[in-house]
Every structure is written in structure tokens, then in C-alpha cells.
């Protein structure tokens, strides 16, 4: 996943080398679903990845994923062709923890699935903070609440 600019300092100067080493350790495959980084294909309705030959796609004029494709051999009709991007996940959600046992090479789908609860919790805190500020500073019945 892309690192937000405000969090970049939390990863340290060696993050690029560390993340490359984790990808190498995993053989440039997702450690959970075993899909290869850089593979082209599509995910079926169950989320399973189906790899397609990139050369065949290029021969048909498709050069950059994601794009929609109605491919005759695909039984699901029109699908979104994607290229697998590998990421390195902090399993404890703490970017400063660079212990290799805490890092996993994951495809974006596995990484987002793993982080879903963490993202929901962060969103809940953000909404709560926004609402609390609004409660303090927005007039209610002509009055401003005091702390």
C-alpha cells in the first residue's frame, strides 16, 4: 500500500531495502494466496485470481491494467483485468516495527482484507474526533457548548 506522506518518517531510511528483502524472501509471491507479483489476470466473484498471458493481452491491444475486458474464454462475462502488486504488511500495524517476523509480503487484496478491521477502527476514531469538535464549536439552539 502506498505510504502516506505524513507517515513516511515512521518507516525509516532503510524501508526500501527491508521491503525488498521481504519480497525476495517470499519469492515475489503473496505469502497468503500465492499469487505472483506482476501477474496479469482477473479475480472471479469468489476473489480467486485467474492469471492471463500478458503477451496475449498485448497482442489484442491491452497494454495497461486495470481495464474492462469481455474475453470469450471467460465464463463470467466482462471482467476487470488487473496486475498484481505486492506490498509489505506490518502484521502488528506499527510501521516502526521492522522485525522480519512482523512483516509479510502480500498482494493488495490480502493486505486490504487483513487491514480491514484496523482501517474501520481508524475511520471510527476519525469520525468520533470530527463529531466531538463539531459538538464543541457548532451552535446548538443558539448556544455554544463549553468544555
Amino acid at each position: 500500500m502506498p505510504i502516506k506522506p505524513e507517515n513516511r518518517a515512521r518507516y525509516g531510511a532503510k524501508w526500501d531495502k527491508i521491503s525488498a528483502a521481504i519480497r525476495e524472501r517470499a519469492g515475489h509471491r503473496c505469502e497468503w494466496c500465492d499469487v505472483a507479483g506482476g501477474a496479469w489476470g482477473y479475480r472471479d466473484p469468489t476473489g480467486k485470481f485467474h492469471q492471463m498471458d500478458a503477451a496475449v493481452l498485448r497482442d489484442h491491444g491491452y497494454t495497461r491494467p486495470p481495464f474492462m475486458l469481455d474475453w470469450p474464454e471467460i465464463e463470467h462475462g466482462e471482467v476487470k483485468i488487473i496486475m498484481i502488486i505486492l506490498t509489505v504488511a506490518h502484521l502488528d500495524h506499527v510501521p516502526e516495527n521492522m522485525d522480519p517476523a512482523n512483516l509479510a509480503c502480500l498482494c493488495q487484496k490480502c493486505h486490504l482484507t487483513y487491514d480491514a478491521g484496523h482501517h474501520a477502527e481508524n475511520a471510527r476514531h476519525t469520525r468520533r474526533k470530527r463529531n466531538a469538535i463539531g459538538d464543541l464549536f457548532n451552535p446548538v439552539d443558539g448556544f455554544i457548548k463549553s468544555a
Side-chain angles (χ1 to χ4, degrees):
M1 314 311 298
I3 300 170
K4 293 180 181 178
E6 64 268 21
N7 290 332
R8 186 69 182 144
R10 295 180 68 192
Y11 286 79
K14 295 182 181 179
W15 174 247
D16 291 339
K17 288 182 181 178
I18 292 168
S19 64
I22 297 302
R23 287 181 179 89
E24 184 70 31
R25 175 188 78 186
H28 300 280
R29 301 185 80 79
C30 177
E31 293 184 66
W32 292 354
C33 73
D34 201 41
V35 66
W40 287 45
Y42 67 97
R43 292 198 185 271
D44 66 23
T46 69
K48 183 176 188 249
F49 183 75
H50 299 271
Q51 188 167 340
M52 298 178 80
D53 185 347
V56 171
L57 291 170
R58 280 192 301 272
D59 289 348
H60 284 82
Y62 301 102
T63 57
R64 286 200 126 154
F67 48 81
M68 297 302 288
L69 179 61
D70 191 8
W71 200 255
E73 293 127 24
I74 298 173
E75 44 193 76
H76 306 292
E78 191 174 77
V79 293
K80 181 179 179 182
I81 302 299
I82 60 171
M83 184 174 68
I84 296 298
I85 303 295
L86 295 177
T87 63
V88 176
H90 288 82
L91 301 177
D92 66 356
H93 303 293
V94 178
E96 293 84 359
N97 184 354
M98 302 293 185
D99 180 357
N102 180 53
L103 301 173
C105 179
L106 303 178
C107 69
Q108 288 177 316
K109 181 181 185 308
C110 288
H111 197 158
L112 286 169
T113 300
Y114 180 74
D115 282 352
H118 181 67
H119 290 171
E121 185 66 18
N122 284 345
R124 187 181 72 76
H125 284 293
T126 300
R127 283 191 306 276
R128 187 172 185 202
K129 185 190 289 187
R130 189 179 328 118
N131 289 341
I133 290 171
D135 287 348
L136 288 172
F137 297 106
N138 290 334
V140 177
D141 297 327
F143 297 98
I144 297 178
K145 293 182 180 180
S146 61

